[in-house]
Amino acid sequence: MFTTKRWLGVLVVLCLSLSLAACGGGNNGAGNAGSGNEPPVSGNAPASDNGEGSPQAQKTLTMFVDFPWWPMSDWSGKIPEAITTATGVTIHVQVASDANQLPLMIASGELPDLVFTYDHISKMSDSKVSYPWQELIDKYTPDFKIDDLTKAVNTVSDGNYYTVRDGFSPPGELAKYPKALFRGGGMALRTDIMEEIGNPEIKTLDDFLNVLGTVKEKYPDMTPLALTPGQIDSYFRLQLGLPRFGFTEVEGKPAYFIGEPRQLEYYQFMNELYTRGFITADQYTWKDPNQSKQLALTGKAFAWEYTETAAETLNAELAKNGAAFTFTHLTPMLTNKAALINNTP
């Protein structure tokens, strides 16, 4: 999460409440970082109690979510409500309409208060666009500590860090939560179509291929499998017990993950998906995850490969749209090699 130089308000506590690895911030209007002439935060609302007996004015910040597929468009639920109660800040959520919207906003200088992005971290990590975290922490929340390794990982060429990405946790943090699982690939299947073809068992990758073949035969106008940009290899490398990135060990020596000899199994499997017509070549050119998601939501795809939240993500939107079908998650491990590999430092 980036704090833009549009203005600064009650921010640091809010962002740290959202995630220990996502934001930067400010205060409740007692002072501003940067030029010192930023306008006040928009949308004053009735005062709320900050938990210490003193009321604080409620304010509204706009957060731009640079993920067109993002399913939530409002600030609601137990966690947002708890954050608002603790900080006096509520959020107006604006979801990107497409992958080009944020670059255009950066170029024009028309940015909201907060930006949540993955693809444009380098563009946002600029002192002309965003506030350096350390500058805000030193001034407004000096007791908030970020370990040196996390700082080093996120510091850019100008010596500042403008966000803390959530794809990395230092060993000390990981040790606190030994049962925590890393995010993995997932596969969602059309429930009604599975029923129509007799709910065949899917216990192996061959079983899965057979089901895709049946769907292709019975529903020739449907895409058997839609792959999601950024997650294309997540599900099948997990099933084959292969790393997706970083380093691994080959013959007792460190090697980049593609140096693992069994990576050939993954490429052969993906080639089979293509040659049998279960996926299409253009899926590898997609940049916007919505391109695959829309195939599933509009009934044009039988299976959607995403993360472990695939079925839940689709079903929430399908219910909102009044669709007549749902998806179910394919839960079995399909090989005896299946593993979610953590090869981070």
Side-chain angles (χ1 to χ4, degrees), residues 32-39:
N32 290 326
S35 64
N37 58 0
E38 293 82 358

Side-chain angles (χ1 to χ4, degrees), residues 26 35 47 59 84 108 125 175 178 215 227 266 304 330:
S35 64
K59 301 179 185 298
T84 296
S108 68
S125 296
V215 170
L227 304 174
Y266 164 75
W304 186 49
L330 180 58

Side-chain angles (χ1 to χ4, degrees), residues 3-8 38-39 42 62 109 111-113 129 131:
T3 306
T4 68
K5 287 199 168 180
R6 179 187 178 193
W7 53 47
L8 188 64
E38 293 82 358
S42 58
T62 298
L111 287 164
D113 308 305
V129 178
Y131 285 97

Side-chain angles (χ1 to χ4, degrees), residues 73-109:
S73 59
D74 61 7
W75 182 254
S76 62
K78 292 182 178 179
I79 294 176
E81 290 169 5
I83 293 173
T84 296
T85 299
T87 65
V89 175
T90 189
I91 296 292
H92 170 68
V93 180
Q94 179 186 357
V95 180
S97 58
D98 57 50
N100 297 316
Q101 189 172 357
L102 181 57
L104 291 173
M105 294 167 72
I106 295 172
S108 68

Side-chain angles (χ1 to χ4, degrees), residues 220-332:
D221 295 331
M222 179 174 285
T223 299
L225 172 59
L227 304 174
T228 300
Q231 297 291 338
I232 283 178
D233 60 350
S234 63
Y235 182 74
F236 295 113
R237 277 201 166 99
L238 181 154
Q239 295 295 342
L240 294 169
L242 294 168
R244 291 184 61 203
F245 37 66
F247 287 84
T248 186
E249 185 177 300
V250 177
E251 297 180 352
K253 297 180 180 180
Y256 195 53
F257 78 100
I258 58 175
E260 161 63 62
R262 286 202 311 108
Q263 292 285 350
L264 182 60
E265 295 179 36
Y266 164 75
Y267 294 115
Q268 289 173 330
F269 182 82
M270 298 304 289
N271 185 63
E272 184 170 2
L273 288 174
Y274 172 70
T275 56
R276 294 178 64 174
F278 300 154
I279 61 174
T280 57
D282 63 328
Q283 293 184 26
Y284 278 85
T285 69
W286 292 344
K287 301 297 183 183
D288 185 348
N290 265 341
Q291 291 175 272
S292 64
K293 184 180 178 183
Q294 285 303 312
L295 286 180
L297 290 173
T298 56
K300 296 178 181 178
F302 162 69
W304 186 49
E305 179 266 353
Y306 181 50
T307 69
E308 74 284 350
T309 64
E312 291 82 358
T313 298
L314 292 175
N315 289 340
E317 294 197 39
L318 290 169
K320 186 185 301 182
N321 297 337
F325 59 90
T326 60
F327 281 78
T328 186
H329 198 70
L330 180 58
T331 56

